[in-house]
Amino acid sequence: TSNEYNLHSGEVMTQAENQAAEDMVEQIEALGEKLVEAKKSITARFIGQQRVVELTLTALLCGGHGLLVGLPGLGKTRLVETLSTVMGMDGKRVQFTPDLMPADILGSEVLETDEKGGRSFRFIEGPIFCQLLMADEINRASPRTQSALLQAMQEKTVTVAGQNRALGKPFHVLATQNPIEQEGTYPLPEAQLDRFLVQIDIEYPDRETERDILIATTGEAEADSVQVFTAQELLDAQRLLRRMPVGDSVVEMILDLVRAFRPDEAEASQRVKETVAWGPGPRAAQALMLAVRARALLQGRLAPSAEDVIDMARPVLTHRMALNFAARARGDSLTALIDETAAALAAPKAAVA
């Protein structure tokens, strides 16, 4: 027959629907091959740290923003510059400092005088008018300047002098941040943290990776990255990702996980109620829904699984919740709590399977 049975929905697929599904499979497979090429080009300059590269690509594939957290000298700036080349985006960089003003990022109007003596205002675009903005050491700027990014990150527009101005498409912010313990930093406001799809922690490289870095970066010439994507191809990839199917069991697990960290919810464990000050909101569930698809895509699979939810829990949730004072005084770890809760939720599902 010309019809096939859809195991996910329990309905019969028409020939047109079947053809559309086959086309999507081909598109996902082709995109997967291109992503392999992109990762290879990125790691030519950003050596090792495969996890960091995959999480950064996850943010771009989901159409979101990434917060890179790590000590100076771990290659955060180098990674963002390489991504701009490989993904074919117009990239700009802003070095955040305590005296940086919002107009330095967004742009401003200047009064010009023409040849006839007439005066008029002309808007000069700031560095935010690009496709990939690198906000370097974002937590060194004052909260007033940090908040200038809020509207841009969520709505992809900025308002200057009462006029809305659209930003580039696609538009992504990849911000680097020094750990809060260092002097001269300002903690990012919770509202701005929530707008980052993932927090990407960059640790020290292992010995073999550091050896490769030494050899590759201290010679006469360094390896170059090549462009793999265009901006339009990235937009197409973002649309394709949102069409990827997600099973009901994965959706339920995402909801269970996010709601498990809200201390006022009935589903929360006693430990969460005693240690968490405030939990993740609905935007965290949206981010997880997209991130698990991106992880499946990067690994060459057509649909996400429960394993993807567990793996993406820490980068999606860490910056969207906080420990209370008593938990911080005890030295409790937020990442350990996330890992343990995610593993506990996955255990019953694994037993059923």
Side-chain angles (χ1 to χ4, degrees):
T1 64
S2 60
N3 295 335
E4 290 189 11
Y5 194 68
N6 187 325
L7 294 176
H8 175 66
S9 64
E11 299 175 351
V12 174
M13 296 175 62
T14 65
Q15 188 172 6
E17 290 172 336
N18 186 47
Q19 183 61 48
E22 290 179 359
D23 291 344
M24 186 171 71
V25 169
E26 291 180 3
Q27 292 171 8
I28 290 174
E29 290 175 346
L31 178 57
E33 293 175 1
K34 200 152 192 171
L35 287 169
V36 170
E37 188 181 346
K39 284 193 286 185
K40 183 179 179 181
S41 183
I42 292 168
T43 52
R45 293 196 75 237
F46 187 76
I47 299 168
Q49 304 274 28
Q50 292 288 340
R51 171 74 169 170
V52 172
V53 172
E54 289 199 355
L55 286 175
T56 312
L57 286 173
T58 294
L60 298 184
L61 287 171
C62 296
H65 313 288
L67 180 63
L68 302 165
V69 179
L71 293 167
L74 294 180
K76 300 184 295 294
T77 304
R78 188 184 186 93
L79 172 61
V80 178
E81 291 173 348
T82 304
L83 275 168
S84 178
T85 299
V86 174
M87 306 306 287
M89 292 188 285
D90 171 30
K92 293 182 181 177
R93 177 179 179 271
V94 177
Q95 178 66 50
F96 279 64
T97 57
D99 59 349
L100 190 74
M101 299 297 290
D104 297 327
I105 302 171
L106 305 180
S108 58
E109 288 191 324
V110 296
L111 184 63
E112 289 188 333
T113 304
D114 58 28
E115 296 176 355
K116 297 181 180 179
R119 293 185 175 184
S120 62
F121 284 100
R122 180 170 71 90
F123 179 70
I124 298 179
E125 294 182 348
I128 201 169
F129 287 87
C130 62
Q131 294 172 326
L132 180 64
L133 176 68
M134 179 182 182
D136 207 357
E137 295 187 302
I138 188 173
N139 61 331
R140 291 211 178 275
S142 66
R144 176 187 177 189
T145 302
Q146 292 171 0
S147 67
L149 289 175
L150 283 176
Q151 180 190 13
M153 291 174 66
Q154 183 63 25
E155 301 176 14
K156 311 295 176 70
T157 62
V158 297
T159 302
V160 179
Q163 182 177 350
N164 287 334
R165 301 177 188 274
L167 300 175
K169 290 185 179 181
F171 175 72
H172 300 275
V173 174
L174 291 177
T176 70
Q177 175 175 290
N178 288 326
I180 298 300
E181 290 80 13
Q182 292 202 350
E183 294 182 5
T185 60
Y186 298 83
L188 290 171
E190 286 80 5
Q192 189 170 353
L193 281 172
D194 197 32
R195 281 166 171 75
F196 288 100
L197 184 97
V198 288
Q199 175 176 312
I200 305 165
D201 294 321
I202 303 182
E203 308 291 344
Y204 288 117
D206 58 39
R207 186 181 182 89
E208 285 303 311
T209 300
E210 193 162 5
R211 182 179 185 276
D212 293 340
I213 292 171
L214 282 174
I215 294 172
T217 59
T218 58
E220 184 178 355
E222 293 186 32
D224 289 327
S225 294
V226 296
Q227 181 177 339
V228 177
F229 280 79
T230 64
Q232 184 58 49
E233 286 172 340
L234 178 57
L235 288 171
D236 294 340
Q238 292 170 357
R239 283 190 286 267
L240 178 62
L241 179 135
R242 287 176 174 267
R243 291 167 51 204
M244 288 177 67
V246 180
D248 289 340
S249 62
V250 174
V251 175
E252 292 301 320
M253 187 172 182
I254 289 172
L255 290 170
D256 290 343
L257 184 63
V258 172
R259 297 178 70 84
F261 289 112
R262 296 172 185 165
D264 296 331
E265 293 284 348
E267 297 98 318
S269 66
Q270 189 62 31
R271 186 182 176 196
V272 168
K273 292 179 180 179
E274 293 174 353
T275 59
V276 175
W278 46 270
R283 192 179 282 148
Q286 294 171 332
L288 260 178
M289 190 76 164
L290 293 172
V292 296
R293 287 167 165 159
R295 184 175 188 267
L297 191 58
L298 285 164
Q299 296 189 355
R301 290 180 280 115
L302 300 177
S305 64
E307 182 185 342
D308 297 316
V309 180
I310 298 171
D311 186 78
M312 296 306 301
R314 188 191 291 190
V316 169
L317 298 177
T318 300
H319 58 296
R320 290 186 163 95
M321 49 192 289
L323 299 176
N324 57 32
F325 177 78
R328 294 198 303 272
R330 289 194 303 266
D332 289 358
S333 168
L334 185 58
T335 55
L337 177 63
I338 293 173
D339 292 342
E340 292 167 10
T341 305
L345 284 173
K349 291 178 171 55
V352 172

